Amino acid sequence: MRRRSLLLAVPAGLVTLAGCGDDGKSDTAKSSKSPSPSASAAASAPPPPKIVDGPLPAITAGTKFGEKPTVAKGTGEPSKDLAVRTVIAGNGQTVAENDYIQANYLGQIWATAKVFDNSYDRKTPLVIQLAQGGIIDGWRYGLIGKKAGSRVEMSVPPTWGYGTQGNAQAGIKGTDTLVFVVDIENTFNSKSSAKGKNVAQSDAALPKVGTNTDGAAPKITVPKTDAPTKLVANYVIEGDGEEVKADSSVLVQYEGVLWDSGKEFDSTYKRGQLTSFSLQQVVKGWAQGLTGKKVGSRVLIVIPPKLGYGDNPPSDSGIKKDSTLVFSVDILAMM
């Protein structure tokens, strides 16, 4: 399973997806041993920092985007402000506050050049939301306005890092200024959609799902036939990303309707907020339906009651007992 961040909030809407008998503990709320740049739960929000362009130590090797960088030790006193420099300018989508970003990064301590974490060796980019309380403010302020495809170097003083408490797990003291090199691979927001090739929807006995990729909810048309008794999980748009595993965590857009009425009961599009979860924390139909599917895809999932909520649907969900559920799911990234 992919390495998790220290603090990620449980997103809205998961109550609708949580499996029967679930203990209510989302994987997104669990801590891990990763010293990645997540915010400390105890940190209070300081005022926005002044952003300056230096000083910043030199990147002496691994100077291309996507390469693991080697960064020199800081010389002299670091800035008390947040120092941010675009080392390589990308031409992708601009990052905004509350977006999720997918990025590789290396973090080290200014005074010693000690590397306390990097994602390059794990060969797994971090996917995290640039939201207050979910990531250190140095990242939240320093990366907003940058474009996907950019390499950004930052010098983050304690005020906008881990505060005076530091991060003992990572060997970071409360007086340490941190240096990060961040390669922004992608950014996702409430308008993000699947990207790939359209797949023919030729079975008249199955729902049809719209193939629009403008960030609006795709239309789901349910046929006036009996619902299937077995799980259906078909590509609507097939992406070319990595295949989702049974224990993966994913970032998605989705919409859910009832087979009997076609009535929508849950939608990230309506909330205007993406959601993330572990496939080990959702109903069996979701877990089985998304396993093996490629990142970047839109998937039609039809879930029979035995793989959904059966005779125990969530209260106030609008789902009746023994309902067949129909979902359109855009798999945007693996966490």
Side-chain angles (χ1 to χ4, degrees), residues 118-137:
N118 87 89
S119 65
Y120 300 92
D121 287 348
R122 293 194 292 271
K123 302 187 186 304
T124 302
L126 175 70
V127 178
I128 196 166
Q129 189 177 22
L130 296 183
Q132 183 177 353
I135 193 168
I136 59 172
D137 282 329

Side-chain angles (χ1 to χ4, degrees), residues 176-332:
D176 283 335
T177 290
L178 309 178
V179 177
F180 290 97
V181 175
V182 184
D183 287 339
I184 307 171
E185 295 184 350
N186 211 338
T187 183
F188 307 98
N189 58 34
S190 61
K191 297 298 183 183
S192 296
S193 291
K195 296 179 181 179
K197 61 180 181 181
N198 293 351
V199 177
Q201 302 178 66
S202 55
D203 191 337
L206 293 179
K208 299 294 186 295
V209 178
T211 56
N212 58 295
T213 57
D214 56 358
K219 183 179 180 181
I220 302 175
T221 305
V222 181
K224 298 183 182 303
T225 59
D226 291 338
T229 57
K230 295 183 179 180
L231 178 71
V232 174
N234 295 342
Y235 283 120
V236 176
I237 299 173
E238 184 175 356
D240 60 2
E242 188 178 353
E243 288 187 358
V244 175
K245 300 176 178 60
D247 62 351
S248 294
S249 293
V250 291
L251 178 69
V252 300
Q253 286 265 41
Y254 72 87
E255 180 176 19
V257 304
L258 301 172
W259 181 283
D260 288 346
S261 64
K263 182 180 178 181
E264 177 190 289
F265 62 86
D266 196 14
S267 172
T268 57
Y269 300 95
K270 182 170 288 186
R271 289 194 298 275
Q273 183 178 5
L274 303 178
T275 196
S276 62
F277 52 82
S278 165
L279 293 191
Q280 295 178 321
Q281 298 291 327
V282 293
V283 294
K284 292 180 180 178
W286 266 72
Q288 294 176 18
L290 293 183
T291 297
K293 295 297 189 285
K294 298 174 185 176
V295 171
S297 299
R298 176 171 297 164
V299 183
L300 163 70
I301 306 178
V302 182
I303 303 178
K306 64 182 179 180
L307 296 178
Y309 300 110
D311 62 358
N312 187 28
S315 59
D316 301 322
S317 65
I319 302 172
K320 297 179 181 179
K321 293 181 179 180
D322 297 320
S323 291
T324 296
L325 310 177
V326 181
F327 288 96
S328 169
V329 185
D330 282 17
I331 311 169
L332 301 178

Side-chain angles (χ1 to χ4, degrees), residues 127-168:
V127 178
I128 196 166
Q129 189 177 22
L130 296 183
Q132 183 177 353
I135 193 168
I136 59 172
D137 282 329
W139 275 54
R140 187 164 68 92
Y141 289 110
L143 297 181
I144 289 171
K146 306 303 182 184
K147 292 186 176 182
S150 296
R151 167 168 283 191
V152 180
E153 185 179 12
M154 298 183 286
S155 170
V156 181
T159 302
W160 293 285
Y162 294 101
T164 56
Q165 76 273 17
N167 186 324

